Amino acid sequence: EELLAGKAYMVRTGLFKDMDAVLFAHIAGEMSVQWGQTNSSGLISMEFSFKGRTAHAASAPWEAQSALDAVELMNAGWNFRREHLRPQQRSHYVITKGGDQPNIVPEAASVWYYLRELDYDRIIAMKETAIKIANAAAMMTDTTMNYRTLGSAWPQHMNKPIAEAVAANINTVGMPAWDEKDQEMAKAVQKIQGKKPEGMSDKVTGLVPEATNPTSGGSDDIGDVAWNVPTITLRYPANVQNMTNHHWAAAIAVATPIAHKGTTAGAKVM
């Protein structure tokens, strides 16, 4: 899911052709289901690699072409471009290769980008812009550049009738019966993240309507499935609510009774 390297390939090989519906589930801090366009984004995952020439960084740097310089110039170019991109876009990168040691001019360097937007055309436009900036960085440093696509995900669009049926089940099942220890643990984790220590809710969120003015958010290749077969995502309460995801504290609950109770409730809804 996080690398977006699974469901898109499954769609392309026809694994969903004979299916009537797909019921997908994702851990959350609440019990909900949404129909239509969500606040999630689509994305393309790309790695840009630069090739230069090495030399001693102190005695003969003029004989080198720094691939790391190219990566840094690409990142600087993209960061200046952000001012002229829509507020709904999200883009982020990590340098996956930056050289071996400081006194050797790096002959090879690479950077990994996630480029996110709310629709296909804008995602492709971001990709083309990133390629232009990467080519410009290579020109400025006399290096060569190549790129590869590592993964992708379409924006999500969920089925309304199935979402309504799942929402009815949510209302029937309700939230788990959290005990005092569950609430104590949840409040402690919320404090770690600087959140209001509210504990676990005893009320379901239920059916969430289509996002009429979508902003942005995470991405999931369940979107690829949703454009090929009627699909919904059940968000089930196996985590502490109001967590900032991808922070270590957001992973604590999976080893506690909160996760067991929330997953059991989600299974009953399905």
Side-chain angles (χ1 to χ4, degrees):
E1 179 192 40
E2 293 298 333
L3 296 178
L4 309 167
K7 302 182 193 72
Y9 290 97
M10 295 166 69
V11 169
R12 285 196 285 270
T13 55
L15 295 181
F16 298 97
K17 275 186 177 180
D18 298 323
M19 291 191 177
D20 296 320
V22 170
L23 305 180
F24 184 62
H26 197 290
I27 188 171
E30 81 278 353
M31 184 89 85
S32 67
V33 64
Q34 186 173 16
W35 60 269
Q37 184 169 356
T38 70
N39 276 323
S40 63
S41 60
L43 73 73
I44 188 164
S45 166
M46 303 179 69
E47 185 176 50
F48 297 86
S49 298
F50 297 85
K51 180 73 173 178
R53 179 183 177 187
T54 191
H56 196 290
S59 62
W62 51 86
E63 294 183 6
Q65 290 90 43
S66 173
L68 180 58
D69 284 355
V71 164
E72 292 184 304
L73 284 167
M74 179 185 178
N75 294 342
W78 184 263
N79 287 331
F80 274 102
R81 186 60 181 257
R82 288 180 194 272
E83 180 184 359
H84 311 291
L85 299 174
R86 297 200 323 152
Q88 293 89 336
Q89 72 84 30
R90 299 289 187 273
S91 49
H92 11 265
Y93 56 81
V94 292
I95 296 175
T96 52
K97 183 176 179 62
D100 298 314
Q101 59 189 68
N103 68 327
I104 301 173
V105 177
E107 67 174 346
S110 56
V111 59
W112 180 13
Y113 270 75
Y114 271 13
L115 306 171
R116 307 184 195 246
E117 249 287 4
L118 298 181
D119 59 67
Y120 173 83
D121 291 337
R122 289 187 173 98
I123 295 168
I124 295 302
M126 290 179 72
K127 171 188 174 181
E128 293 172 350
T129 298
I131 293 171
K132 288 180 183 178
I133 292 173
N135 280 325
M139 291 176 63
M140 285 188 284
T141 52
D142 287 328
T143 58
T144 58
M145 185 278 296
N146 65 75
Y147 65 86
R148 59 182 181 140
T149 300
L150 303 179
S152 63
W154 275 75
Q156 299 172 39
H157 196 280
M158 299 305 179
N159 182 272
K160 185 176 182 180
I162 300 176
E164 290 174 335
V166 170
N169 287 355
I170 288 174
N171 291 331
T172 299
V173 173
M175 291 290 278
W178 311 117
D179 62 27
E180 185 177 341
K181 289 184 177 180
D182 296 331
Q183 296 290 7
E184 182 180 354
M185 200 282 290
K187 291 176 182 179
V189 175
Q190 289 165 342
K191 285 182 178 180
I192 288 173
Q193 287 202 345
K195 306 294 178 64
K196 185 177 179 180
E198 297 176 319
M200 302 296 294
S201 176
D202 60 357
K203 297 179 180 178
V204 300
T205 302
L207 184 64
V208 178
E210 180 177 28
T212 55
N213 185 26
T215 51
S216 190
S219 308
D220 194 305
D221 49 5
I222 192 63
D224 295 63
V225 179
W227 286 101
N228 286 272
V229 59
T231 301
I232 60 90
T233 295
L234 169 69
R235 294 174 60 81
Y236 60 97
N239 202 352
V240 176
Q241 65 183 32
N242 298 329
M243 286 287 95
T244 298
N245 293 328
H246 293 194
H247 181 277
W248 66 266
I252 294 175
V254 297
T256 72
I258 287 176
H260 179 77
K261 293 175 182 178
T263 302
T264 300
K268 289 178 180 179
V269 169
M270 290 294 205

